[in-house]
Amino acid sequence: MTHRRRSIAPPLTGAVLLVMALLMGVGGAQLIALGGSWYYALAALGLAASGVGLVLRRRWALWIYAVVLAASLAWSLWEAGLDWWPLAARLGVLFVIGIWLLTPWLRRGLHAAGEPAGSARHDAAGRPAISARGSLALTVAMALVSMVSVASWFSDPHAIKGTVPITAGSTGADASGVPPGEWHAYGRTGYGQRYSPLTQITPANAGQLELAWTYHTGDVRGLPGDPEETTFEVTPLKIGNRLFLCTPHQSIIALNATTGEEIWRLDPKIQGELALQHLTCRGLSYHNDASASAAVSATVADDGTINATTSTVSTTTPSAQQTASGAPIAAIDLPTTAECPSRLFMPTADGRLIAINPDDGKVCADFGGGDGQIDLWANMPYVNPGSYYSTSPVVVTASLVIVAGTVLDNVSTTEASGVIRAFDVHTGALVWNWDSAKPEQTAPIAAEGLYTPNSPNSWAPSSVDEALGMVYVPMGNQPPDQWGGNRSANVERYSSAVVALDLATGRERWVFQTVHHDLWDYDVPAQPSLIDLTVGGQRIPALVQPTKQGEVFVLDRRTGEPILPVTETAVPQGAAAGDHTAPTQPVSALSYDPPPLRGRDMWGATLFDQLACRIDLRKLRYEGRYTPPSTQGTLVYPGNFGVFNWGGVAVDPERQITFTTPTRLAFVSRLIPRENATELYVNDGKTPPGSEALPALNENFGAPFAISLAPFVSRLGLPCQAPPWGFVAVSDLTTGKRIWQHRNGTVRDSSPLPLPFRMGVPNLGGPIMTAGGVAFLSSTLDYYMRAYDVSTGALLWQSRLPAGGQATPMSYLGEDGRQYVVVAAGGHGSLGTKTGDSVIAYALPATSE
C-alpha cells in the first residue's frame, strides 16, 4: 500500500496565524485597556481559531478565516470608507494569506474531522464536501475585498473638485515698477506674491516644456561642521539678462539668464567655527538707484484713506560697523568697486550684511565701514558666532535695507536679540531699530547699548508696501518654544504675530497675533503676501498670512483688522508646571487645519504597526489642536513642521485666489525636567564626531524643561497617520472658500523600492503662479518639478530632478523671447532628500523663423 506524503503547509501556516494572533491579542488587549478599538482582540481570536484548525489540518479553518476576512472588510469600510491606503493597511496581510489558503498546496492537506487525508471531496448526494464549501466562502470573501479595493482606486475622499473662474475682477496693474519679464525680489516684488505676469506658458502648452540649461554650483553639504540642515533653498533674482543666486555655503553667483553660463562669483569668506542650526541662503535682495531715490511714507486716516508723502531718510547716524560693540567679525579683504548705481544685498551666516555690485560681483566700497559690509553683531548680547544670522533675504526699499535674523532655537535662554533694524541703503548707517522689549524706543541705539537678549525674532522674509509706508514682519518666539512660564508682557504680545512697522520711524503701526502664548513652535514661518482684494464692491489693500497651524489670515494691511472673519475658539488647557495656556486661539474663515486625529486615522504597512500606532496615540496626551506640551508626551497636530512653512503661498492679484501646498504631519513633543543648567538631556551620546561645535538643540539650557521632538511614526518609520500627507489646493481670498484640492506627490524617493504611488507627500518650499494660468512647484519629497492648471489643479507636466527640490521656483523672460522657469535642486538635510548643486531652467521649445 502506498502512502501519499502529507503536506506540511497547513500546520506551518497555522503556526504563522497563531503567532499573528498572539501579537494582535496582546496589542489588542492593551488597546482595549486604553479605551481603544476591540477589533484587534476579536480578530486575534478568529486568527487563533483558524490557526488551530490548520495545525489540525481541519477544513473548517478556511470557514473561520473567511469570516475573519469578511468581518475585517466590514470594519475597514466602517473606519476608512473607500480610501485605498487605509484599506490596504488593514486588509493587505489578510488578503495575501487568503491567497495562500486557496492554493492547492495547502488545500490538499486539509480534511474533515474523522476523515483520512485525501478522502473524497463530495458526499453521496453529490454535494460539495466541507473543504469545498470553506474554499467557496473564502473565495467570496476574497472577491469582496478585491471589488472594494478596485472601487477605492477610483475614489479619493480627500479631494475637492472645482474650477476657478477665468477672471475674478481686475485689481489693476502691478505698481512695483518691476518689468514683467524680471524677478527683483524673493517673491518677485516686495509684495511677496510669487506671481509672474508672463503668459507664454499656458495649460495648453505646458506639457511641451523641456530642459533649457543646467548649472552646477559645486556647493554641496558635507564639509566639516555642516549642520544637518545645510540646504539649497534659493530663489534666484532676474535683473536684465542675469540671474543672481546664493549657495548654502554663502557664495554669490551671477549667471546668464538665457544660457545659464556663469558670469561672476563672489566668496564672502565666512569666518570661524559657527554653531549653526541652519546653513542656507534663500535668496538675495536688489536695489536700483535709477528707479528709487526717496523713501515713501504714508499715514492712514481714521476713514481708511491713505495720505502718502515722500521723505529722504537721514544718514547722519554713524554706520553700524562703527558702532559695533564686542562684535566677533573682523575686517575682511574683499574685492571692492567705487560706485554701485545698483546693488545686491546678502546677509551671511557669520553675521554680516554685504552690498555687492551686480555688474562685476565686487562689494560696494561706500557701504558700511568702507569695506562694503556692516556687522550685524553690533550691540548684540551673548555674542556666540553662528547663534545669530539671516537665512532669508532682507527687505529693500527706496532708501532702506531692513534686516531681521534667526537666533538659535531651543538651545538656551541666553541668546542674541531678535531686533529688527533698518540701515541706509547707500551708506549702511543705522536709521532705526525695533526691539520688541522696547517697542517705542526705535531711535538708533547708543554705541555702548545692547539690544534685549532672547527676544522674539523673525527668520522668515518680510514684505513691504512703500506707498503705505509699512514693512510687515512675521515674528517667531522667544526660546524655549514649548515652555513660556516667564515671558514678559511684550513677549506675549509680539510672539507668533505679524507686526507692521512704520518705514520712516520703525514704530509699530499694528500687530496681529496668530497664536496666543505659543507653546507649539507655531511661529509665523512665511512671508506675508500683499494683494488688493475686491470685497463687497470695495478695493481693500490686503495681507495674506499662512501659518504653521494651517490658518490663513486675510487682513487689511492698513490696520491689521481681519477681512475674512477670525473667531476666538476655546482650546485644551492644562500646561506644564509653572506655565499656563491661553483660553482661546484665533481661527480664520480660510483654514487648512486638518481634522483631529482619531484611532481610525492611524496607519502602517500592516495591521501590526497600525495597531502599535493606535496604542501610541492612546498613550499620548491629545485633545486636539493646541494640546499643551507635557512630560507624558503630547501629540502636536499639525506638527511644528507646519501646514505651511517658509515657502508660503502664491497669490493671483487678478483672480484673487491663493495657490497653496498644505502639509499634514503629526509630531510628538515631550517635556523633560531639567535638574541642572549644564547636563545634556536629549543630546547625550548623539553628537556625531567632528560636529562638537554645533549647538545642543532642544536642551533649553536655563529653562526648567528640555524638549524631545520627533515625528509621529511607526516602528517601521512610516507616518502613524494615514496618507495623504500633502496637497495642492486653491482658495478664494474674498470668501475663504476652498475651490479645489488634490493630493500631490509620490513615495518614489521615500520608499525602499522606487514605486510611484501617488499618496500625497509633504513638501518644503513654495509655489509660484503665472498669468498664463499655470502654477509650478518642486518641493515635494519626490524629486520632480511639476506644473499645474490653476483652474482645476490638473497635473500638466512634470520633470525628474537630480536631487530634492526644496526651493521655490521663479519665472522670467530670456533674451531669446522665451519664458523660462528656474528651480534649485539641492536637497534638504533634515528631510533626507538627495543632495545636489543644480540650478535648472525649463522653457518651451524654441521656434524657428
Side-chain angles (χ1 to χ4, degrees):
M1 183 176 178
T2 303
H3 295 280
R4 180 181 296 175
R5 185 175 180 180
R6 302 178 71 186
S7 171
I8 62 171
L12 284 180
T13 304
V16 170
L17 290 185
L18 288 172
V19 171
M20 290 174 55
L22 178 62
L23 294 174
M24 286 182 63
V26 171
Q30 187 176 5
L31 185 60
I32 291 173
L34 293 169
S37 172
W38 282 63
Y39 162 78
Y40 298 91
L42 295 175
L45 293 175
L47 290 176
S50 182
V52 169
L54 289 171
V55 169
L56 298 176
R57 301 176 181 272
R58 296 294 188 258
R59 294 170 180 164
W60 48 260
L62 300 184
W63 269 102
I64 295 177
Y65 193 86
V67 171
V68 171
L69 184 58
S72 297
L73 174 61
W75 167 76
S76 299
L77 286 171
W78 175 69
E79 284 210 326
L82 289 176
D83 195 349
W84 160 253
W85 291 107
L87 290 176
R90 290 164 170 80
L91 299 171
V93 170
L94 297 178
F95 187 80
V96 170
I97 293 174
I99 293 174
W100 170 244
L101 292 178
L102 290 175
T103 61
W105 300 283
L106 185 131
R107 291 171 56 196
R108 274 198 295 261
L110 299 178
H111 56 83
E115 291 181 346
S119 62
R121 296 180 179 270
H122 294 78
D123 60 19
R127 293 173 300 192
I130 191 167
S131 64
R133 295 194 193 116
S135 299
L136 179 60
L138 182 54
T139 299
V140 170
M142 295 282 287
L144 290 173
V145 171
S146 298
M147 287 188 292
V148 167
S149 298
V150 171
S152 71
W153 297 347
F154 302 96
S155 170
D156 187 354
H158 306 279
I160 299 172
K161 294 183 180 181
T163 302
V164 179
I166 295 176
T167 60
S170 175
T171 60
D174 179 9
S176 68
V178 176
E182 301 196 4
W183 196 283
H184 285 196
Y186 176 69
R188 189 176 174 272
T189 73
Y191 275 24
Q193 293 180 346
R194 279 164 286 282
Y195 174 83
S196 169
L198 298 178
T199 60
Q200 190 178 113
I201 300 172
T202 68
N205 62 25
Q208 302 172 33
L209 285 167
E210 61 182 19
L211 180 67
W213 53 259
T214 300
Y215 170 78
H216 294 283
T217 68
D219 186 337
V220 294
R221 183 174 75 245
L223 297 181
D226 279 357
E228 182 182 37
E229 290 198 5
T230 301
T231 57
F232 193 23
E233 298 175 345
V234 70
T235 299
L237 304 182
K238 196 269 187 176
I239 301 147
N241 190 45
R242 292 187 178 184
L243 295 181
F244 299 98
L245 59 107
C246 50
T247 70
H249 292 93
Q250 313 289 279
S251 291
I252 303 103
I253 300 170
L255 304 178
N256 182 299
T258 307
T259 67
E261 296 174 301
E262 182 177 311
I263 298 173
W264 56 255
R265 186 184 190 112
L266 175 66
D267 180 0
K269 300 178 182 177
I270 302 302
Q271 297 186 78
E273 293 186 359
L274 305 179
L276 293 167
Q277 188 170 359
H278 308 269
L279 182 56
T280 190
C281 177
R282 297 191 179 104
L284 304 167
S285 304
Y286 174 67
H287 178 268
N288 182 11
D289 276 346
S291 61
S293 58
V296 179
S297 64
T299 59
V300 181
D302 291 339
D303 62 359
T305 58
I306 304 170
N307 302 311
T309 59
T310 60
S311 61
T312 302
V313 175
S314 170
T315 59
T316 58
T317 307
S319 73
Q321 191 78 15
Q322 294 170 322
T323 62
S325 175
I329 305 301
I332 299 175
D333 184 19
L334 293 174
T336 61
T337 187
E339 295 184 1
C340 293
S342 59
R343 56 194 68 196
L344 301 169
F345 289 96
M346 166 76 175
T348 64
D350 57 2
R352 290 174 287 151
L353 178 66
I354 305 177
I356 306 149
N357 189 329
D359 294 335
D360 55 15
K362 296 179 181 179
V363 300
C364 303
D366 58 347
F367 184 78
D371 58 356
Q373 54 197 323
I374 57 178
D375 181 4
L376 298 177
W377 279 106
N379 305 99
M380 277 290 183
Y382 299 115
V383 175
N384 296 302
S387 63
Y388 172 87
Y389 49 99
S390 296
T391 58
S392 295
V394 299
V395 169
V396 173
T397 73
S399 299
L400 299 174
V401 52
I402 301 167
V403 183
T406 183
V407 300
L408 287 180
D409 202 14
N410 282 351
V411 174
S412 77
T413 59
T414 53
E415 298 296 338
S417 177
V419 61
I420 313 297
R421 288 170 285 184
F423 303 93
D424 184 273
V425 76
H426 297 100
T427 67
L430 181 63
V431 176
W432 53 257
N433 36 233
W434 184 75
D435 185 334
S436 63
K438 309 167 186 174
E440 299 302 318
Q441 302 176 26
T442 62
I445 194 170
E448 68 278 5
L450 289 177
Y451 296 117
T452 304
N454 210 46
S455 55
N457 66 313
S458 177
W459 59 269
S462 297
S463 299
V464 64
D465 185 334
E466 294 190 70
L468 285 175
M470 282 185 272
V471 59
Y472 304 95
V473 184
M475 296 297 293
N477 295 313
Q478 177 190 72
D481 291 320
Q482 285 80 18
W483 189 84
N486 58 2
R487 294 174 183 169
S488 69
N490 278 340
V491 169
E492 295 284 23
R493 174 175 171 80
Y494 296 116
S495 291
S496 299
V498 183
V499 179
L501 301 178
D502 186 88
L503 282 178
T505 65
R507 296 282 186 92
E508 174 195 324
R509 296 272 286 270
W510 57 258
V511 58
F512 178 88
Q513 192 165 58
T514 67
V515 183
H516 308 317
H517 195 67
D518 184 2
L519 300 175
W520 305 271
D521 193 19
Y522 283 162
D523 46 11
V524 185
Q527 181 181 32
S529 294
L530 311 184
I531 181 175
D532 290 352
L533 298 177
T534 302
V535 180
Q538 293 186 333
R539 185 165 172 255
I540 303 175
L543 177 148
V544 179
Q545 183 61 68
T547 64
K548 283 186 177 180
Q549 65 271 24
E551 304 304 316
V552 179
F553 295 101
V554 183
L555 312 175
D556 187 324
R557 67 176 182 268
R558 298 168 297 185
T559 63
E561 292 297 317
I563 296 173
L564 293 183
V566 174
T567 304
E568 289 289 335
T569 303
V571 294
Q573 299 296 293
D579 204 351
H580 66 279
T581 53
T584 63
Q585 295 291 350
V587 175
S588 173
L590 177 50
S591 177
Y592 290 86
D593 175 31
L597 290 177
R598 304 160 297 174
R600 65 178 58 192
D601 299 315
M602 295 300 97
W603 191 68
T606 67
L607 273 171
F608 305 103
D609 49 322
Q610 183 199 52
L611 170 58
C613 283
R614 294 178 91 134
I615 293 172
D616 290 343
L617 176 65
R618 285 283 175 173
K619 287 182 176 180
L620 294 169
R621 183 179 178 192
Y622 180 60
E623 297 143 38
R625 189 168 61 155
Y626 299 117
T627 303
S630 63
T631 54
Q632 170 189 350
T634 291
L635 185 73
V636 181
Y637 185 63
N640 60 329
F641 184 87
V643 175
F644 301 106
N645 208 287
W646 55 261
V649 299
V651 298
D652 183 331
E654 297 300 322
R655 297 188 182 189
Q656 303 190 38
I657 58 174
T658 178
F659 184 96
T660 65
T661 59
T663 290
R664 296 178 178 179
L665 280 180
F667 272 63
V668 175
S669 69
R670 191 181 307 276
L671 294 173
I672 302 173
R674 295 194 61 87
E675 297 177 1
N676 59 67
T678 59
E679 186 176 347
L680 294 175
Y681 283 81
V682 294
N683 290 278
D684 192 21
K686 297 180 181 179
T687 303
S691 62
E692 288 78 7
L694 297 180
L697 302 179
N698 300 325
E699 289 292 349
N700 293 337
F701 298 116
F705 297 96
I707 183 70
S708 172
L709 294 170
F712 185 39
V713 295
S714 72
R715 306 300 189 271
L716 300 179
L718 298 173
C720 269
Q721 67 191 87
W725 307 296
F727 302 86
V728 287
V730 158
S731 293
D732 187 327
L733 289 170
T734 65
T735 65
K737 177 185 176 183
R738 209 173 310 182
I739 300 173
W740 58 254
Q741 174 178 286
H742 304 291
R743 67 179 73 205
N744 184 56
T746 72
V747 293
R748 170 171 176 169
D749 299 299
S750 305
S751 57
L753 297 175
L755 301 174
F757 294 144
R758 185 171 163 266
M759 299 177 72
V761 297
N763 79 92
L764 190 60
I768 65 169
M769 278 195 288
T770 69
V774 180
F776 292 93
L777 178 69
S778 67
S779 54
T780 49
L781 290 186
D782 55 349
Y783 311 155
Y784 285 98
M785 175 73 160
R786 293 185 170 98
Y788 313 82
D789 186 336
V790 171
S791 293
T792 65
L795 179 63
L796 302 171
W797 165 88
Q798 62 183 18
S799 178
R800 188 80 175 142
L801 297 174
Q806 278 68 60
T808 302
M810 51 84 73
S811 187
Y812 62 90
L813 206 62
E815 280 190 325
D816 57 1
R818 292 196 292 170
Q819 181 182 352
Y820 288 78
V821 182
V822 165
V823 69
H828 195 283
S830 61
L831 290 183
T833 52
K834 183 181 177 181
T835 59
D837 66 344
S838 299
V839 181
I840 303 172
Y842 302 93
L844 295 173
T847 56
S848 57
E849 295 295 336

